[in-house]
Amino acid sequence: MLQTLILAAEEGAEHEDSVLMPPLAELIVGLLAFGLLVGFFFWKIYPQIRRTYAERADRIEGGLNRAEVAEREAKALLEQYRSQLAEARTEAARIREDAQAQGRQIVEELRSQAQQEVSEIKERADAALVAERAQVVASIRREIGEIALELATRIVGHELQSDARQRQLVDDFIAGLDEAPRPAVAPAGPGV
């Protein structure tokens, strides 16, 4: 059959010299070669192309999936970071408030302690004043007693011999001074 086509093509080639129409033998050989090439393409190359295409599609889809997973993880980490940051800010505010409260408490304790020390110093000073006043009063009483005894000795003209009697006279004199009305002292005015 192929031979008859080739012979027919040769006969037609002799009769027709057309530039646009190739000889039939060349056309058949070209068609056979093209068919073999198409068959080889679908038998060997097309499955390889499909496999490569599928691998690339898988890689792209896998990359997209990995990117989506990475994005979800990044968002989760961002939320976790934000929550930790909020917790840290809350903790810092609480620590700041605690420090301020402790500061106020320390200030109050120091004020209380200072007031207590002031009152203790005042009490000691008052006690010292009372003791000093008692010493001054006792000293003045002795001096007054001695002056009164000396005065009484001069007035009476003779010396009182007995110490017990002298003490009794001095105590009576001082008791009389304590019971005697005291003269009113005018308050000091601005001109004094």
Side-chain angles (χ1 to χ4, degrees):
M1 173 169 159
L2 186 63
Q3 287 179 353
T4 55
L5 286 173
I6 293 174
L7 285 176
E10 285 178 6
E11 284 177 17
E14 290 175 3
H15 297 292
E16 290 181 31
D17 270 340
S18 171
V19 178
L20 295 177
M21 184 71 163
L24 185 61
E26 287 179 15
L27 187 62
I28 293 175
V29 170
L31 283 175
L32 278 176
F34 182 73
L36 286 175
L37 185 65
V38 168
F40 180 76
F41 176 78
F42 281 108
W43 179 53
K44 284 287 189 182
I45 296 176
Y46 183 71
Q48 183 68 25
I49 289 174
R50 287 192 67 172
R51 198 173 324 121
T52 304
Y53 176 77
E55 288 174 2
R56 281 193 178 175
D58 287 343
R59 269 190 268 144
I60 291 171
E61 288 177 8
L64 289 175
N65 289 338
R66 284 191 303 274
E68 288 175 3
V69 168
E71 183 180 5
R72 282 193 298 264
E73 288 175 358
K75 285 181 181 179
L77 286 174
L78 180 63
E79 285 301 316
Q80 183 180 6
Y81 168 75
R82 285 181 179 165
S83 67
Q84 287 175 349
L85 183 61
E87 288 175 10
R89 286 181 178 157
T90 304
E91 182 70 17
R94 186 190 60 78
I95 290 171
R96 211 173 19 253
E97 289 173 4
D98 288 348
Q100 288 174 351
Q102 287 177 353
R104 285 190 296 269
Q105 182 181 2
I106 289 170
V107 167
E108 288 300 318
E109 288 175 2
L110 289 175
R111 278 189 186 145
S112 171
Q113 186 178 7
Q115 288 175 351
Q116 184 178 2
E117 288 176 5
V118 165
S119 65
E120 288 174 2
I121 291 170
K122 188 176 178 182
E123 288 174 7
R124 284 193 301 251
D126 289 344
L129 284 175
V130 167
E132 196 174 312
R133 183 175 183 265
Q135 284 178 344
V136 169
V137 167
S139 174
I140 289 176
R141 282 187 177 188
R142 255 183 287 133
E143 287 179 19
I144 289 176
E146 290 173 6
I147 293 172
L149 185 60
E150 189 178 320
L151 187 61
T153 302
R154 286 188 188 165
I155 291 176
V156 174
H158 60 78
E159 194 174 316
L160 299 172
Q161 299 295 328
S162 144
D163 281 339
R165 180 76 181 137
Q166 285 178 6
R167 273 193 226 117
Q168 181 64 38
L169 281 173
V170 170
D171 289 340
D172 288 344
F173 178 73
I174 291 174
L177 287 176
D178 285 339
E179 293 174 4
R182 295 190 178 149
V185 178
V192 179

